[in-house]
Amino acid sequence: MTEPTTQAGTPAPRRKDERPGRTGGASLNRLGDRKKARLEELAQASAGKGGVSLFRDALRRLRRNPAAIVGATIIALFVLVAIFAPLIAPHDPVQRFDELTSRLAADHIPGATDGFPLGSDELGRDLLSRLIYGSRQTLFVGVLATLIGLAIGVLLGAIAGAFGGWVDNILMRVTDVMLALPALLLAITLVALASKSSQWTVILAVAIVSVPVFARLLRGSMLAQRESDHVLAARALGVKEHNIVLRHMLPNAMTAVIVQATLTLSVAIIEAASLSFLGLGDPNRDRAEWGAMLGDAGVRYFEVRPELAYYPALAIIIVALGFTLLGEAMREAIDPKNRR
């Protein structure tokens, strides 16, 4: 049937209810509905499984990392021994036993005997008990020094990263001077400046040495956050600057600093032991501390009984290794380049 024409021979105009390509439009609508239904299905599936955050993803990779497992195991054993030292140690670490002191001589220190698995130290005290109690002092000095250094470093780094300008220049030049000096040499200098060496002078010296590391790391992270999209959006919305720093910049910049604290803790343990080894630590020699044990008897009686140096040195190495393994594994786990 032919389409009606006008008198001039042209096709008659279409009715108002007729639309060109009506069949094709319906097909497109059906295709759009199918795509929409598929997207909703995928969204519901994702919501059911839950998104994987950076923390959960890092924790998952840590559980699969053998180095992290070994490091965490060493740290856990170290902390448990330090906490439960009075229950684990077989004897009082400052008590001198007659059965040991009676066998002491200029060229002889008793080794392992019944009731004393690691033998005696140079004064007739149980070496195993002193090693166990020494873990408490090592944990106390290392953790407290790291926390103090972390607090001061975070404060300086946050101020430098938030304000910038001349404040940033002054603070960073001071940290550059501190970083230019070897850490142990700077710690020795700080302890020597004290009128009397003590356990607290060691803690403060080790803490001050670690301040520049935290300050520069946080400052760099804060500067990177200043130009991020969420910070620029907060400024555009009129959020006050101190709220931007405390709620947006600082929390996102702290992850790397916390990981660095784990690595710094191993360094703090070694530096504290080094100061005690040099005789700049706690003057109370009855208090068991691995660095002091290594310096007092380990050196003087090395030819007579080298185990007096081997045992505390081995304890320091193992604990520092545990924190280093865990810290390096954490650093790799939070690195966005390693996310799968």
Side-chain angles (χ1 to χ4, degrees):
M1 183 175 180
T2 61
E3 189 174 69
T5 60
T6 61
Q7 293 180 356
T10 58
R14 295 178 183 275
R15 295 195 304 268
K16 293 182 179 180
D17 59 345
E18 293 184 5
R19 297 181 182 276
R22 192 170 184 179
T23 304
S27 300
L28 291 176
N29 289 336
R30 287 195 296 271
L31 180 61
D33 292 340
R34 288 197 298 268
K35 289 184 176 180
K36 184 178 179 180
R38 179 57 178 166
L39 290 175
E40 291 178 354
E41 181 182 351
L42 293 175
Q44 292 176 358
S46 299
K49 294 180 180 179
V52 179
S53 64
L54 176 62
F55 175 77
R56 291 180 60 185
D57 184 65
L59 186 61
R60 175 180 60 82
R61 280 185 276 124
L62 279 177
R63 289 198 297 262
R64 298 178 180 179
N65 191 332
I69 296 174
V70 173
T73 302
I74 294 174
I75 295 172
L77 292 175
F78 169 61
V79 173
L80 289 176
V81 169
I83 293 175
F84 298 103
L87 302 177
I88 299 175
H91 303 287
D92 187 346
V94 300
Q95 182 180 356
R96 302 184 182 185
F97 296 91
D98 294 337
E99 54 267 44
L100 296 178
T101 55
S102 61
R103 299 169 56 190
L104 290 175
D107 57 350
H108 177 71
I109 296 177
T113 58
D114 292 338
F116 305 95
L118 298 184
S120 168
D121 67 353
E122 77 283 8
L123 297 178
R125 299 170 295 193
D126 180 38
L127 182 58
L128 176 60
S129 299
R130 292 187 64 79
L131 284 173
I132 293 174
Y133 271 87
S135 62
R136 308 188 88 182
Q137 295 301 316
T138 301
L139 180 64
F140 174 74
V141 173
V143 170
L144 191 57
T146 302
L147 290 178
I148 294 175
L150 176 63
I152 300 175
V154 165
L155 178 62
L156 297 180
I159 293 174
F163 293 98
W166 63 270
V167 176
D168 180 26
N169 289 330
I170 293 176
L171 292 178
M172 289 304 102
R173 296 301 77 75
V174 174
T175 58
D176 288 341
V177 172
M178 297 177 67
L179 289 173
L181 299 173
L184 183 58
L185 180 59
L186 180 59
I188 293 174
T189 303
L190 294 174
V191 173
L193 292 175
S195 58
K196 183 180 179 181
S197 62
S198 65
Q199 189 179 52
W200 286 102
T201 59
V202 172
I203 293 175
L204 292 177
V206 175
I208 292 174
V209 167
S210 64
V211 166
V213 178
F214 294 122
R216 289 197 67 86
L217 181 60
L218 183 62
R219 179 250 186 186
S221 299
M222 292 280 287
L223 291 179
Q225 291 289 327
R226 290 181 67 179
E227 303 302 327
S228 59
D229 293 339
H230 66 280
V231 172
L232 294 177
R235 287 199 181 100
L237 292 173
V239 180
K240 295 182 179 180
E241 190 65 26
H242 68 274
N243 287 330
I244 293 177
V245 172
L246 297 178
R247 295 183 180 181
H248 298 278
M249 297 172 61
L250 189 59
N252 290 300
M254 281 297 296
T255 304
V257 178
I258 295 174
V259 173
Q260 181 61 40
T262 306
L263 295 170
T264 303
L265 187 53
S266 65
V267 178
I269 291 174
I270 295 176
E271 290 175 350
S274 301
L275 293 175
S276 297
F277 174 81
L278 296 174
L280 300 175
D282 191 351
N284 183 9
R285 295 308 179 191
D286 284 336
R287 182 176 290 146
E289 200 275 327
W290 291 343
M293 294 170 62
L294 182 61
D296 287 345
V299 174
R300 286 187 296 167
Y301 299 96
F302 187 80
E303 295 183 357
V304 177
R305 189 159 183 253
E307 291 85 353
L308 296 179
Y310 291 161
Y311 292 139
L314 187 61
I316 294 171
I317 293 172
I318 292 176
V319 171
L321 178 63
F323 283 106
T324 302
L325 289 176
L326 182 60
E328 290 293 342
M330 291 174 62
R331 175 180 292 177
E332 294 177 359
I334 67 170
D335 190 352
K337 296 179 182 179
N338 295 329
R339 299 194 74 180
R340 297 290 185 266

